[in-house]
Amino acid sequence: MKASLFSAGLAWMGDWEEAFALGTSSPKVGKPWKGWKKGQFQIHFIYTGVSEAMLWIFPDGTTMLLDCGDHNAIGRGELAVPVLPNSKRHAGEWIARYVRRVNPNGNEIDYMMLSHYHSDHAGCEGFFASEEQRDGQSYRLSGFSQFTETIRIRKAFDRAWPGFDDPLPMPDEYDSGIIPHMRKFYAYEQKHHGLEVEKFQVGAVDQVRMLHNPSAFKDFSIRNICANGRICGKDGNVRDLYAGRIAAEKPAMVNENGMSLGMIVSYGDFKFYTAGDFSDSWKLPDGSVFEIEDALADVVENVNVAKVNHHGHYSMPEKLVSALRAQVYVSCVWDQLHNVSPVMDRLADKSIYPGDRIICPGIMPAERRLEDKGKAWLDDVAEASFEGGHIVLNVEKGGKEYSITYLTADDESMTVRSVMDFRA
């Protein structure tokens, strides 16, 4: 899939250094973000420095929050990245404040989705803003539960619903108590605010759909490609990657990253890929190593923009990069060990597939740039990431044009810092 970056309506054919310069010289730079317009598909990658969260706005105004984490990333010490705007509020509140500024539906969103059960994507019992007694038990505000203090959610998609046991039960103590935390959250929201919860269906092409005016945008669709260690191709065949291993080894639990939900979004000529932290590997009887992302590569397709698996931490093998062939890679960051050099090498490697591409982390901090000084892939990293910022993917109606915008994250002004425009 070929794409070009353009400015002022002219196709751009130079190197990325010039592209970055065009981005920061855009007339939109220095001005407040103008928001969403009907017909646009947007994903807001919300930067906090401690979590992952993405607000999706579908072309008809349907909205979805994919992940809303909170955990003690600051406790990582020298491995921590800047917490923005600051650490005076927890991530769930910062995310809610951001969503309220851009949400076309006020203080309500249509969907939430948890990509997998890790605290940096959901919140947990062990790291929270406050604790209250609700319905006769402790209720802690962290991640999604803090978010819904100010913004209502109509429906949730969850890989583990309703038994939290697919493919194996998860212990209550796992990852700072994330399982009891989400159980209590779902129960409270169902009882008091009418939240619907539905299990994510691998292979479905109409489960996550527009609700407000779908007939106006018939070229928009979402294909569910993976969840719970299962992947589905376009032919509808589902492959269970863990069934044999579970039967043979009888493990107490499996790698939660490999349980991540994944989707391909199509909007006219445009395609987007996301699959949470999808990553895992194990040795086969013959001594070879099985990479589950290689299996995922068999069911994905060429896309324009891809979210990097597992924050760029030892993920994205060559086979998957080759299958996606993205023009833009976006990475959600809360740690200095994200976007490690071997991953970045593969994303930038033109021997895997030809053509320019740009890598857009939420932040590429000074410490990492110093450590990786001289690496060729640094030339493909968006310079706007050096200070950290929210990233907005905006796809115009029909998917022929899209843009990547960095917004300030050190305050709530929503000031544009860089804009790069593309043609699909």
Side-chain angles (χ1 to χ4, degrees):
M1 179 176 294
K2 293 184 178 179
S4 62
L5 186 147
F6 70 95
S7 179
L10 300 175
W12 180 87
M13 299 297 290
D15 60 26
W16 284 123
E17 184 176 351
E18 184 178 348
F20 298 147
L22 290 173
T24 55
S25 66
S26 165
K28 298 176 183 177
V29 170
K31 299 177 182 178
W33 171 251
K34 287 189 175 181
W36 172 86
K37 295 189 302 183
K38 185 177 180 180
Q40 294 174 335
F41 169 53
Q42 289 183 358
I43 299 180
H44 295 247
F45 300 84
I46 303 170
Y47 181 88
T48 63
V50 304
S51 65
E52 181 163 315
M54 292 172 276
L55 177 71
W56 296 34
I57 308 176
F58 298 5
D60 72 335
T62 300
T63 49
M64 179 171 75
L65 182 65
L66 174 53
D67 291 337
C68 183
D70 192 15
H71 79 306
N72 189 19
I74 301 174
R76 300 272 290 164
E78 64 181 14
L79 293 177
V81 297
V83 176
L84 301 176
N86 56 59
S87 59
K88 294 180 180 179
R89 306 176 194 269
H90 275 246
E93 185 175 357
W94 284 126
I95 293 164
R97 290 167 68 95
Y98 182 100
V99 169
R100 194 162 49 228
R101 294 194 294 271
V102 301
N103 183 19
N105 303 315
N107 288 334
E108 181 180 86
I109 60 175
D110 296 296
Y111 300 133
M112 64 161 274
M113 183 182 291
L114 173 58
S115 66
H116 64 293
Y117 274 78
H118 276 158
S119 55
D120 58 314
H121 295 258
C124 62
E125 290 289 278
F127 189 74
F128 51 91
S130 63
E131 180 178 10
E132 302 176 6
Q133 288 294 312
R134 297 187 184 180
D135 296 334
Q137 62 181 337
S138 165
Y139 191 83
R140 294 175 178 176
L141 301 183
S142 177
F144 280 114
S145 64
Q146 187 180 26
F147 178 88
T148 51
E149 289 296 281
T150 54
I151 298 181
R152 298 273 77 82
I153 299 173
R154 295 174 58 192
K155 187 173 186 176
F157 297 109
D158 189 286
R159 77 158 194 84
W161 186 260
F164 303 90
D165 57 358
D166 185 6
L168 292 172
M170 293 176 281
D172 283 356
E173 63 272 17
Y174 177 69
D175 196 9
S176 299
I178 187 174
I179 305 304
H181 179 74
M182 290 303 293
R183 278 201 193 104
K184 286 188 280 189
F185 165 72
Y186 285 140
Y188 181 84
E189 288 297 316
Q190 285 179 309
K191 179 179 179 179
H192 295 281
H193 301 122
L195 176 71
E196 297 178 50
V197 187
E198 182 174 305
K199 186 168 185 175
F200 184 88
Q201 300 297 322
V202 178
V205 294
D206 59 357
Q207 184 182 31
V208 186
R209 59 186 182 273
M210 293 180 290
L211 299 175
H212 302 305
N213 190 12
S215 61
F217 307 100
K218 294 181 179 179
D219 57 351
F220 181 86
S221 64
I222 297 176
R223 177 167 70 94
N224 298 352
I225 58 173
C226 63
N228 299 334
R230 305 178 188 101
I231 59 173
C232 184
K234 282 186 174 182
D235 58 5
N237 289 325
V238 176
R239 179 183 177 190
D240 192 328
L241 304 178
Y242 286 81
R245 187 180 179 204
I246 289 173
E249 301 178 11
K250 296 180 173 53
M253 61 181 299
V254 291
N255 187 334
E256 183 61 21
N257 286 341
M259 302 297 105
S260 294
L261 310 184
M263 297 169 285
I264 297 280
V265 180
S266 299
Y267 188 25
D269 294 340
F270 176 86
K271 292 186 185 297
F272 170 76
Y273 159 90
T274 183
D277 284 358
F278 196 89
S279 59
D280 196 9
S281 63
W282 57 86
K283 281 189 177 182
L284 298 175
D286 64 4
S288 62
V289 176
F290 176 70
E291 296 276 357
I292 64 169
E293 288 174 280
D294 285 348
L296 190 61
D298 294 332
V299 306
V300 300
E301 55 199 280
N302 293 177
V303 298
N304 302 92
V305 180
K307 188 186 85 72
V308 178
N309 290 346
H310 198 203
H311 317 278
H313 181 73
Y314 299 103
S315 60
M316 306 298 291
E318 181 175 329
K319 184 177 178 181
L320 181 58
V321 172
S322 178
L324 292 170
R325 304 175 77 87
Q327 178 80 358
V328 178
Y329 291 98
V330 180
S331 179
C332 301
V333 179
W334 53 258
D335 194 273
Q336 295 280 355
L337 296 182
H338 292 167
N339 303 317
V340 295
S341 193
V343 173
M344 302 294 267
D345 280 333
R346 287 192 292 274
L347 298 183
D349 188 349
K350 292 183 175 63
S351 72
I352 297 177
Y353 65 94
D356 290 320
R357 73 290 311 259
I358 181 171
I359 306 170
C360 297
I363 190 169
M364 180 54 69
E367 297 89 341
R368 281 298 311 282
R369 300 198 307 275
L370 179 62
E371 179 181 337
D372 294 318
K373 186 177 180 180
K375 299 284 188 181
W377 55 259
L378 277 169
D379 293 337
D380 293 328
V381 174
E383 293 180 5
S385 70
F386 294 176
E387 298 177 33
H390 309 299
I391 301 169
V392 184
L393 164 64
N394 180 73
V395 185
E396 295 295 340
K397 186 176 181 179
K400 294 185 182 300
E401 298 177 358
Y402 63 98
S403 62
I404 296 290
T405 299
Y406 273 87
L407 305 178
T408 53
D410 55 354
D411 59 32
E412 296 185 285
S413 67
M414 304 291 286
T415 302
V416 174
R417 290 179 40 227
S418 173
V419 183
M420 287 173 285
D421 298 307
F422 299 82
R423 287 197 180 103

